[in-house]
Amino acid sequence: MNDITPLVRLIEPEADALGFALVRVRLFGKDDERTLQIMAERPDTRQLNIDDCAELSRRISDKLDALEEAGKDPIEGAYRLEVSSPGIDRPLTRKQDFIDWAGHEARIVLTEAVDGQKQFKGDLEGIDSDGMIAIRHPRTGVLEQVPFALIADAKLVLTDRLIEATVPLSMEGAEEEIQITSTDDSDDMSAHADGEEEETH
């Protein structure tokens, strides 16, 4: 599946129902080694904890299982479902991200070069109404304009400033790992202490 849009349309309502915001949906890998990766966050903390990941994973798994039983499986063949928080050095996938994280350092890779350059790194200074992202070069101080429409990958760079600005989640019980096995023998789900839920289909 090259176009991820149908999956986003299926998954986003499940995140919305829990009060979460969908950050990214990716399907990668080959044959039976594919992974459906879903990142989501609470709008107030910009993160998910282990219980949030488990709850969202169950909702999505139930939705996908129901579609499979109805003969409408959106993903053919075996795959692993991975639900996680975006983490501190998070991917930047929405226009709003470039506003919310202005002042922090980011790395942006484009699908095609702009003025001979495909990679940009510097402090974000927002995005305008035309979808042009402002990013200031760390050494030269030059303010560069990067088109949102050409982004192949963008994420925050882990810095002390970013760590200080990120709302910490409670670490209570963080050393525990929960193993959950569904009623279907083909499904094996595990919730990890790092705020990530995995299930094999």
Side-chain angles (χ1 to χ4, degrees), residues 78-198:
Y79 63 93
R80 183 181 65 176
L81 173 63
E82 177 185 292
V83 177
S84 68
S85 174
I88 297 177
D89 53 341
R90 56 184 299 122
L92 304 169
T93 61
R94 303 159 294 185
K95 290 181 179 180
Q96 186 63 40
D97 291 337
F98 294 92
I99 297 172
D100 294 345
W101 297 100
H104 291 283
E105 189 174 354
R107 180 180 292 107
I108 300 173
V109 180
L110 304 182
T111 57
E112 59 185 71
V114 172
D115 296 329
Q117 186 174 350
K118 290 184 68 174
Q119 298 188 37
F120 298 81
K121 183 179 179 182
D123 289 345
L124 296 174
E125 295 196 8
I127 183 170
D128 65 21
S129 58
D130 294 325
M132 297 298 291
I133 299 160
I135 183 168
R136 191 171 296 279
H137 194 282
R139 292 191 301 274
T140 66
V142 172
L143 187 64
E144 298 170 304
Q145 300 292 323
V146 179
F148 178 83
L150 294 182
I151 289 179
D153 185 65
K155 65 180 298 182
L156 293 177
V157 175
L158 190 62
T159 63
D160 290 341
R161 179 176 43 176
L162 179 60
I163 293 171
E164 290 174 1
T166 302
V167 179
L169 293 177
S170 171
M171 293 301 292
E172 182 179 357
E175 70 281 0
E176 298 179 2
E177 181 173 295
I178 304 169
Q179 295 289 339
I180 306 170
T181 303
S182 73
T183 54
D184 184 344
D185 292 338
S186 66
D187 292 347
D188 182 21
M189 186 180 354
S190 61
H192 300 279
D194 60 359
E196 181 176 294
E197 178 92 0
E198 294 184 356

Side-chain angles (χ1 to χ4, degrees), residues 17-91:
L18 297 174
F20 303 158
L22 191 62
V23 174
R24 183 171 73 182
V25 176
R26 292 178 62 210
L27 181 63
F28 58 91
K30 294 182 179 180
D31 302 324
D32 292 344
E33 299 297 322
R34 292 180 300 168
T35 297
L36 175 60
Q37 182 192 70
I38 298 164
M39 289 186 180
E41 64 183 9
R42 285 186 175 275
D44 55 344
T45 65
R46 310 305 300 265
Q47 303 171 61
L48 294 183
N49 60 33
I50 188 173
D51 293 330
D52 295 334
C53 290
E55 190 171 9
L56 180 56
S57 180
R58 291 189 185 96
R59 286 190 69 100
I60 294 170
S61 184
D62 288 347
K63 181 72 171 284
L64 294 175
D65 287 347
L67 289 170
E68 182 180 7
E69 291 175 5
K72 300 178 180 179
D73 194 348
I75 307 173
E76 295 182 2
Y79 63 93
R80 183 181 65 176
L81 173 63
E82 177 185 292
V83 177
S84 68
S85 174
I88 297 177
D89 53 341
R90 56 184 299 122

